[in-house]
């Protein structure tokens, strides 16, 4: 079992509101069909969900955010999800859409529903879920990121590999020279070891990747502009990117 997170920066153009990167999405979909084992796809919000959540000042911490905001963010995520689903459908990947409301109650994962996701994947469908605006209770809501979903699913399903697909080659130790960190080793590293230039979305990704890796599971950051790297990691254990928790 493999978990694949398609980051918002690879599936959308973050510079331009509500703009999917159709060619990148299609290229990734065409490669994913070559993966020879069950997998689950999680995707981010990019210039869809993030665009609106910034406009309505919504965050990951549950609070009484604008209900208009909740509705608009969710609607935009459904729209982006449909674009992803259609691309997967085109390559006969058999996506099975499962919004996070299917397996989350407030901010708590529903174990039986996550187990069901694993069964759905093993039966030959590809569950597809996404970061979203979620109802929390008591008029509160929150943004559940796709990166967080990765560690929620990993904890329960214990995937052989969790792949974060990015718009860059992996984690850089130096943003200017683009020097790639090929391996974040063992459980001896901590978030403090992440270089200073890792900011924003990337630091959250590293945080969740670290959490998954500390569960004893392998994590890989790959460039979605070279989608064969996703397939090579999945099928041939050839990791061209950043591996958390030891290369084999
Ligand atoms: O792009 C959050 O998912 P992410 C999506 O994985 C929203 O952080 C709704 C902002």
């Amino acid at each position: 079992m493999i978990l694949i997170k398609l980051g918002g920066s690879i599936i959308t153009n973050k510079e331009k509101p509500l703009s999917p990167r159709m060619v990148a999405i299609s290229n990734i979909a065409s490669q994913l069909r070559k993966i020879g084992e069950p997998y689950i796809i999680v995707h981010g919000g990019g210039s869809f969900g993030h665009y609106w959540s910034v406009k309505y000042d919504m965050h990951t911490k549950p609070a009484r955010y604008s209900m208009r905001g909740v509705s608009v963010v969710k609607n935009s995520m459904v729209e982006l999800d449909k674009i992803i689903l259609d691309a997967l459908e085109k390559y006969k990947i058999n996506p099975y859409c499962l919004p996070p409301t299917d397996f989350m109650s407030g901010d708590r994962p529903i174990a039986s529903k996550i187990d069901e996701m694993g069964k759905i994947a093993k039966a030959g469908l590809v569950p597809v879920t996404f970061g979203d605006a979620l109802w929390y209770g008591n008029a509160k809501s929150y943004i559940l990121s796709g990166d967080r979903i990765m560690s929620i699913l990993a904890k329960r399903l214990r995937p052989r590999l969790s792949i974060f697909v990015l718009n860059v080659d992996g984690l850089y130790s130096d943003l200017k020279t683009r020097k790639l960190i090929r391996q974040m080793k063992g459980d001896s590293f901590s978030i403090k070891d992440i270089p200073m230039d890792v900011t924003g979305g990337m630091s959250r990704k590293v945080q969740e990747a670290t959490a998954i890796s500390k569960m004893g599971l392998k994590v890989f950051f790959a460039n979605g502009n070279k989608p064969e790297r996703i397939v090579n990691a999945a099928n041939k254990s050839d990791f061209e990117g950043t591996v958390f928790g030891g290369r084999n």
Side-chain angles (χ1 to χ4, degrees):
M1 160 85 61
I2 298 179
L3 298 184
I4 301 173
K5 159 87 197 289
L6 304 178
S9 60
I10 187 72
I11 57 173
T12 73
N13 178 359
K14 280 196 151 180
E15 311 303 315
K16 194 171 165 239
L18 310 173
S19 53
R21 291 182 68 202
M22 297 306 270
V23 175
I25 294 170
S26 177
N27 288 344
I28 291 170
S30 74
Q31 290 293 316
L32 291 182
R33 63 188 301 221
K34 298 179 190 165
I35 293 179
E37 80 181 77
Y39 61 98
I40 292 173
I41 295 176
V42 180
H43 67 81
S47 68
F48 284 74
H50 276 285
Y51 170 75
W52 290 115
S53 53
V54 168
K55 281 226 173 235
Y56 285 95
D57 196 24
M58 296 167 66
H59 305 276
T60 53
K61 188 178 180 306
R64 296 195 168 195
Y65 301 117
S66 151
M67 289 303 172
R68 178 89 199 118
V70 176
S71 181
V72 168
V73 168
K74 185 176 278 296
N75 217 23
S76 76
M77 287 311 299
V78 169
E79 194 179 331
L80 177 58
D81 189 54
K82 183 67 165 71
I83 292 168
I84 302 291
L85 294 170
D86 285 347
L88 296 170
E89 200 68 88
K90 195 172 131 204
Y91 289 97
K92 304 197 165 45
I93 286 174
N94 296 342
Y96 186 79
C97 171
L98 286 172
T101 44
D102 184 80
F103 57 86
M104 295 294 293
S105 172
D107 64 347
R108 317 241 316 238
I110 306 168
S112 62
K113 285 289 196 168
I114 295 175
D115 291 347
E116 197 77 12
M117 269 173 109
K119 288 180 195 155
I120 289 167
K122 283 181 184 150
L125 289 166
V126 175
V128 177
T129 190
F130 47 88
D132 202 358
L134 291 191
W135 169 252
Y136 178 75
N138 194 21
K140 291 182 178 174
S141 63
Y142 71 106
I143 299 291
L144 175 67
S145 80
D147 296 329
R148 177 90 192 98
I149 294 177
M150 287 291 276
S151 50
I152 288 171
L153 298 182
K155 191 171 177 193
R156 185 81 197 165
L157 297 174
R158 299 201 58 83
R160 182 176 72 78
L161 181 62
S162 301
I163 306 176
F164 288 79
V165 181
L166 319 171
N167 193 24
V168 290
D169 283 338
L171 196 57
Y172 297 131
S173 60
D174 184 332
L175 269 189
K176 277 199 213 93
T177 61
R178 297 205 147 203
K179 190 172 174 344
L180 185 67
I181 301 173
R182 297 195 146 265
Q183 187 179 11
M184 297 288 284
K185 239 196 171 150
D187 47 28
S188 58
F189 60 87
S190 76
I191 194 77
K192 290 192 291 300
D193 298 329
I194 306 304
M196 289 299 287
D197 49 15
V198 175
T199 55
M202 192 56 122
S203 84
R204 177 155 55 198
K205 242 172 260 308
V206 171
Q207 204 173 322
E208 300 300 344
T210 305
I212 297 171
S213 167
K214 284 189 171 164
M215 296 171 200
L217 302 168
K218 188 169 229 154
V219 182
F220 177 52
F221 282 10
N223 191 338
N225 297 303
K226 313 260 168 63
E228 66 282 359
R229 292 181 185 173
I230 306 168
V231 181
N232 290 344
N235 292 351
K236 296 195 281 185
S237 293
D238 173 17
F239 298 105
E240 217 178 324
T242 303
V243 173
F244 288 68
R247 300 172 93 88
N248 59 8

